Amino acid sequence: MKYVFSLILLLCSVPGWAQLTGTVQGVVRAGSQPVAFASVGLKGSQLGATADEKGEFVLTAVPVGSYRLAASAVGFQPAERSVTVTAGTTVTIDVSLTAAPATLTEVVVTGVSRATEIRKSPVSVAVLSKREVLLNSNGNIIDAAVKGVPGLSAVTTGPNISKPFIRGLGYNRVLTLYNGLRQEGQQWGDEHGIEIDQYDIDRIEVVKGPASLMYGSDAVAGVINMLPRLPTGTPGHLHGDALTEYQTNNNLLGTSLGLTYHQRGWQYAARGSYRLAQNYRNALEGRVYGTAFRELNLTGMAGVEKTWGSTHFTATLYNNLQEIPDGSRDSLSRRFTRQVFEGEQDDIKNRPLVPAADLSTYRINPLHQHIQHYRLLNRTRLRLGTGELQTLLGVQQNRRREYNHPTAPSQPGLAVALTTTSYDVRYAAPTWQGLETTVGLNGMHQLNQNRNATDFPIPDYNLTDVGGYLHLKKAWGPLELSGGLRYDTRWLRWNDFYVGTDARTGFARQVSRAEAAGAEPQFGAFRTRYQGVSASAGATYSFSDKLLLRANVARGYRAPNITEVGSNGLDPGAHIVYLGNRTFGPEFSLQEDIGLSAYLPDAELSASVFNNDIQNYIYQARLTDADGQPVVIVPGNATYQYQQGRARLYGTEITANLHPRALPMLAFHNSLAYVTGLNKQAGLLEDHGRAARYLPLIPPLHTRSELRFSSQQNWRQVTGLYLRAVLDYNAPQNRFYAVDNTETRTAGYALLGLGAGFSLTTGPENREWLQVVAQMDNVLNTVYQSHLNRLKYFEYYAASPTGRSGIFNQGRNFTLKISTTF
């Protein structure tokens, strides 16, 4: 009976317990405008919430007592209010946030476990906005990033083909992302770009240094993440933007139309872009045959964003017809010639001249490549209390065909289809005692298939990546520490791959084991597993809001890619026979990075230095015979074999952006980037001495200075008027990989650019609806070769009557861009 009596007393006391809590509600505003999705929490407790799109929040079941209510949002300075909760009551309290200077609060999402202020990242991160991209004339999106990010360079094959390099490392060491999804499309090749619509990109984030902790293999040099624009503007109304541009050098025509709509959290967007260009030209050679292109991009997005989180589906299509230059010319006149025969009938010295009409046309010549890239991805973010779960799922297919047979123009020499399925799951746990913990799992599966082709540089293969990581971050006053650990595994395998001769055409073709009739496979069966551990530890120390020191040390991991291990054939677009090595192990790098940033009233200054030691560094070297002569397997094409050794890269990046308050119309931006790459392979140095001292594809010292005058006055509907002058200087590159003349010295050069622009506004709110940008690059029409220009080595003769060999870069180019929003 006494137990029944006790139970009755207990039940009677429950209503009393319920009254020992209360509710806190309110609105987060900035001025008179609500701040959507602001974070709100009670300090010293685990109670928190996310405001809705109206800035409203509710905290329920709050124990009675006094608290400090903290609110924060991206782009605003955090704010706190005192609040006292009494039993059974609802307290209404509004919080006002103040916008913070962009340079102090700009947030990045690339290479970090959760959104982080750029200045607090221990790893060097750079951001380029759509506006800065718009101000420059660009052949492609990578060229745009190179102009705005010190330490970023590109290996180029004409104006529409650029491969990004970060601090002297590129190809599969730089991970390129579209909205967080890794871009997979035979990025080991030189002769195609990254297959992303440059007009669709709203923001570019660049991580300089090992990011293997978050992304695994292929991020050992850094990450470039290209983020598309999400719908904005008045809800319930269709919005859009249109852009058209013209470039005089290659008569490039570009146009893009985007539409967006959002209502009650539902979001929709679509974009179509088209570009076409003729052969580019320079003052020495006129028009360069084989550099015209046509490019079509289509993008569609649908998603929803609510207080519980968000989910977005995106589909893209990329279709590119790109000519293939080979550099053949008449030995005396140096006019370009073209291939019309094959094999022994093809006499390089007697090829016919290219007619003038074929140099100035939008028609794509028979020797070209056709690249199609399809992409479907989903990004989902779920708020789980004060924690958050993020997922990314994507599937993409890259189809690449190279047509290199002049006697059979419809027969592709290379035809491969690469299908990649990727996933990324990341959980940001609730902050506990100031400790931020993030765990993640990501990876991919690839299937590569050769289609109806005649050249087979790589086999059909299967590749599977799996990796998991743990990341921690905690602050102690001005000191913030972060670091983590990751483990990766890669399985790479393929079966016997046989190649025979097609009796009908005389070309090579893929055959079955039975058809091979006992012949050796071109690619013998292979199966292996790579594994490695990545780690990172970094710190930032804020001496004040305006002076910050950061340091980071990281161990990066990269598994060999398919061409480094399995290649054994001609890549017709590159004019190179690649030979791989099955014995290669993974690359491991150890990079130290330290930087100092100052955010002063009249200037922003930053300087960083880095040192990177790489074990099992993989590089290309020209194959020679016992007499030191180049080995020729396919006539007219060089033969390269991959090697593995040790390497060291070190350098510095410095920026000084001046904006004196006494002269608000003036801005003076300056940057310097320098990297040296040393070959530390003892055997190679013994055999070749100084010729082998440096690594290939290392950019020279580069400086960029821009002086910009921006009017502080509007003339009726004319606003944002600016004038700018840009000077790009590349020093001579005397430190190059000289073994077997793989590389040669490159002379220094300076390029002058001039630009101007303005905007037009409309309506009582002075809404900007039209923007005009005019830009002149290489104003003096300087004849030059970039050290990372592959066309520099497209030369068939040992001597030239002009004393200059190879193909030179683009000459003077005037660009006009007109964009409008509606």
Side-chain angles (χ1 to χ4, degrees):
M1 185 68 183
K2 65 178 181 180
Y3 295 111
V4 175
F5 183 71
S6 298
L7 180 60
I8 293 174
L9 289 177
L10 180 63
L11 293 175
C12 290
S13 67
V14 169
W17 285 2
Q19 296 303 313
L20 297 180
T21 63
T23 300
V24 178
Q25 66 180 20
V27 180
V28 182
R29 293 188 176 91
S32 61
Q33 298 298 316
V35 178
F37 309 118
S39 297
V40 181
L42 297 177
K43 300 187 72 173
S45 76
Q46 297 297 316
L47 296 173
T50 301
D52 61 17
E53 54 265 34
K54 297 179 181 179
E56 298 175 353
F57 67 91
V58 178
L59 300 175
T60 59
V62 180
V64 297
S66 297
Y67 299 92
R68 293 290 291 176
L69 179 76
S72 62
V74 174
F76 298 90
Q77 294 180 351
E80 295 184 8
R81 293 284 304 276
S82 296
V83 59
T84 299
V85 179
T86 57
T89 64
T90 297
V91 180
T92 300
I93 183 170
D94 294 345
V95 184
S96 179
L97 299 183
T98 303
T103 56
L104 296 182
T105 62
E106 191 165 27
V107 172
V108 293
V109 298
T110 307
V112 292
S113 60
R114 57 188 81 189
T116 301
E117 288 183 14
I118 187 172
R119 69 192 188 107
K120 292 186 177 180
S121 171
V123 180
S124 180
V125 181
V127 173
L128 199 63
S129 67
K130 185 179 183 69
R131 174 175 174 78
E132 290 302 311
V133 172
L134 186 66
L135 296 186
N136 294 301
S137 57
N138 311 302
N140 56 75
I141 191 65
I142 294 300
D143 280 351
V146 167
K147 292 177 181 178
V149 180
L152 184 64
S153 55
V155 168
T156 63
T157 311
N160 195 40
I161 303 176
S162 297
K163 291 288 189 181
F165 272 55
I166 297 177
R167 293 175 168 177
L169 296 174
Y171 300 114
N172 282 67
R173 299 182 182 95
V174 174
L175 187 60
T176 303
L177 308 176
Y178 171 79
N179 200 16
L181 178 70
R182 58 186 297 151
Q183 173 75 12
E184 291 294 325
Q186 296 109 22
Q187 55 264 42
W188 46 266
D190 289 297
E191 64 281 3
H192 54 91
I194 61 168
E195 295 120 25
I196 291 176
D197 181 6
Q198 70 178 48
Y199 298 136
D200 182 47
I201 301 305
D202 186 59
R203 176 183 173 93
I204 303 173
E205 297 183 356
V206 180
V207 178
K208 295 182 285 187
S212 299
L213 184 64
M214 305 300 300
Y215 300 101
S217 181
D218 302 350
V220 70
V223 177
I224 302 175
N225 191 7
M226 281 157 279
L227 301 166
R229 182 187 309 176
L230 287 175
T232 57
T234 306
H237 291 78
L238 183 68
H239 297 276
D241 65 272
L243 178 145
T244 184
E245 73 167 317
Y246 174 69
Q247 298 185 19
T248 59
N249 186 278
N250 56 354
N251 294 327
L252 182 148
L253 293 170
T255 184
S256 181
L257 173 64
L259 299 174
T260 65
Y261 179 85
H262 70 107
Q263 175 77 341
R264 294 188 294 273
W266 292 91
Q267 301 173 327
Y268 307 93
R271 179 171 296 277
S273 303
Y274 186 67
R275 298 195 308 152
L276 70 164
Q278 300 176 359
N279 298 296
Y280 82 84
R281 56 188 168 185
N282 58 54
L284 178 67
E285 301 162 307
R287 292 197 178 272
V288 176
Y289 184 62
T291 58
F293 64 88
R294 292 184 183 180
E295 179 183 297
L296 171 68
N297 287 277
L298 298 175
T299 303
M301 186 278 292
V304 60
E305 185 163 358
K306 298 287 188 177
T307 55
W308 52 262
S310 64
T311 185
H312 294 86
F313 289 88
T314 304
T316 70
L317 178 149
Y318 171 94
N319 190 78
N320 180 33
L321 295 172
Q322 179 76 52
E323 292 184 348
I324 304 174
D326 68 0
S328 70
R329 356 174 161 213
D330 178 74
S331 60
L332 296 179
S333 68
R334 298 291 288 173
R335 291 176 58 188
F336 286 98
T337 60
R338 63 182 176 186
Q339 182 184 2
V340 295
F341 298 108
E342 297 186 57
E344 296 180 354
Q345 294 181 324
D346 179 30
D347 183 358
I348 185 67
K349 296 181 180 179
N350 292 308
R351 288 182 177 181
L353 298 175
V354 179
D358 288 350
L359 289 171
S360 302
T361 178
Y362 291 106
R363 183 177 63 252
I364 302 298
N365 73 51
L367 304 187
H368 67 278
Q369 55 183 320
H370 186 190
I371 299 175
Q372 295 165 299
H373 195 96
Y374 307 94
R375 183 188 297 109
L376 176 64
L377 69 98
N378 169 260
R379 292 181 60 91
T380 297
R381 181 167 50 90
L382 298 175
R383 297 186 178 96
L384 305 176
T386 56
E388 185 173 273
L389 178 68
Q390 296 182 27
T391 65
L392 185 150
L393 299 172
V395 60
Q396 55 191 311
Q397 185 178 76
N398 184 275
R399 300 179 182 178
R400 179 173 158 214
R401 284 160 287 178
E402 295 185 359
Y403 297 91
N404 63 318
H405 295 296
T407 59
S410 62
Q411 171 62 59
L414 177 70
V416 290
L418 178 67
T419 303
T420 304
T421 303
S422 305
Y423 62 91
D424 189 330
V425 181
R426 182 182 308 178
Y427 176 63
T431 301
W432 178 76
Q433 299 293 319
L435 179 66
E436 296 181 3
T437 303
T438 304
V439 294
L441 179 73
N442 50 30
M444 67 177 180
H445 176 74
Q446 288 187 335
L447 173 64
N448 183 78
Q449 295 175 301
N450 284 275
R451 301 291 175 86
N452 176 30
T454 63
D455 297 298
F456 306 93
I458 57 174
D460 296 346
Y461 69 87
N462 283 271
L463 182 149
T464 302
D465 275 356
V466 178
Y469 63 90
L470 169 69
H471 187 271
L472 304 172
K473 183 169 72 172
K474 184 174 174 58
W476 286 273
L479 177 64
E480 188 171 285
L481 300 179
S482 62
L485 195 66
R486 180 187 177 98
Y487 173 76
D488 276 286
T489 298
R490 167 172 291 181
W491 290 272
L492 178 62
R493 55 200 178 276
W494 65 79
N495 298 321
D496 287 335
F497 187 98
Y498 295 90
V499 176
T501 301
D502 190 328
R504 296 178 297 105
T505 64
F507 294 127
R509 70 179 181 91
Q510 184 179 353
V511 298
S512 66
R513 181 190 297 269
E515 291 174 310
E520 289 294 319
Q522 180 168 328
F523 305 95
F526 181 73
R527 183 180 299 267
T528 193
R529 176 189 178 191
Y530 305 103
Q531 54 189 332
V533 174
S534 307
S536 178
T540 59
Y541 186 84
S542 301
F543 297 98
S544 68
D545 287 340
K546 298 180 174 59
L547 184 63
L548 183 139
L549 177 70
R550 70 171 186 273
N552 192 78
V553 59
R555 183 183 196 252
Y557 154 84
R558 184 182 77 90
N561 64 43
I562 180 62
T563 185
E564 294 165 343
V565 176
S567 58
N568 184 26
L570 173 67
D571 184 344
H575 299 287
I576 293 175
V577 175
Y578 291 106
L579 301 177
N581 192 319
R582 298 185 176 204
T583 66
F584 283 166
E587 287 184 348
F588 291 99
S589 69
L590 182 64
Q591 177 162 313
E592 305 88 19
D593 195 324
I594 186 168
L596 183 67
S597 299
Y599 303 90
L600 307 177
D602 296 299
E604 297 166 17
L605 310 174
S606 69
S608 63
V609 294
F610 64 91
N611 180 74
N612 192 3
D613 290 288
I614 304 178
Q615 303 294 325
N616 299 329
Y617 176 79
I618 300 174
Y619 62 97
Q620 297 176 10
R622 199 158 189 172
L623 188 63
T624 58
D625 58 24
D627 298 326
Q629 298 301 311
V631 171
V632 177
I633 296 177
V634 179
N637 297 272
T639 303
Y640 283 80
Q641 187 169 43
Y642 287 96
Q643 310 288 333
Q644 193 163 46
R646 293 177 55 241
R648 180 191 174 204
L649 298 99
Y650 62 89
T652 184
E653 289 138 18
I654 301 172
T655 61
N657 298 327
L658 311 180
H659 39 77
R661 289 172 296 174
L663 299 170
M665 76 292 293
L666 175 66
F668 189 32
H669 298 163
N670 301 274
S671 66
L672 178 148
Y674 172 75
V675 59
T676 290
L678 299 177
N679 193 327
K680 307 297 287 187
Q681 183 65 7
L684 192 67
L685 292 170
E686 288 179 6
D687 293 341
H688 299 280
R690 183 175 177 81
R693 182 178 180 184
Y694 300 104
L695 298 177
L697 299 175
I698 300 297
L701 180 145
H702 174 235
T703 65
R704 181 178 174 89
S705 296
E706 177 189 344
L707 185 63
R708 188 183 303 181
F709 293 90
S710 301
S711 174
Q712 305 299 298
Q713 181 180 355
N714 298 333
W715 289 272
R716 294 187 178 181
Q717 280 74 45
V718 178
T719 184
L721 178 65
Y722 75 88
L723 301 172
R724 68 194 293 246
V726 181
L727 183 65
D728 266 301
Y729 172 71
N730 286 269
Q733 183 52 292
N734 300 312
R735 300 179 174 184
F736 54 90
Y737 184 74
V739 176
D740 304 318
N741 288 320
T742 299
E743 289 186 334
T744 58
R745 179 186 183 275
T746 304
Y749 55 92
L751 302 177
L752 175 64
L754 299 174
F758 62 89
S759 299
L760 296 180
T761 61
T762 184
E765 299 178 354
N766 289 325
R767 180 181 64 85
E768 182 180 295
W769 70 277
L770 184 72
Q771 186 172 4
V772 179
V773 171
Q775 178 69 27
M776 176 80 77
D777 287 325
N778 195 358
V779 173
L780 303 180
N781 210 17
T782 301
V783 173
Y784 72 99
Q785 285 176 321
S786 164
H787 187 69
L788 300 186
N789 176 13
R790 289 182 61 243
L791 300 182
K792 175 187 175 186
Y793 302 100
F794 281 29
E795 179 60 63
Y796 283 84
Y797 302 104
S800 164
T802 65
R804 297 177 172 181
S805 64
I807 297 176
F808 286 73
N809 285 72
Q810 195 173 49
R812 183 186 296 117
N813 185 33
F814 175 76
T815 299
L816 179 64
K817 297 181 184 180
I818 300 175
S819 60
T820 182
T821 57
F822 54 90

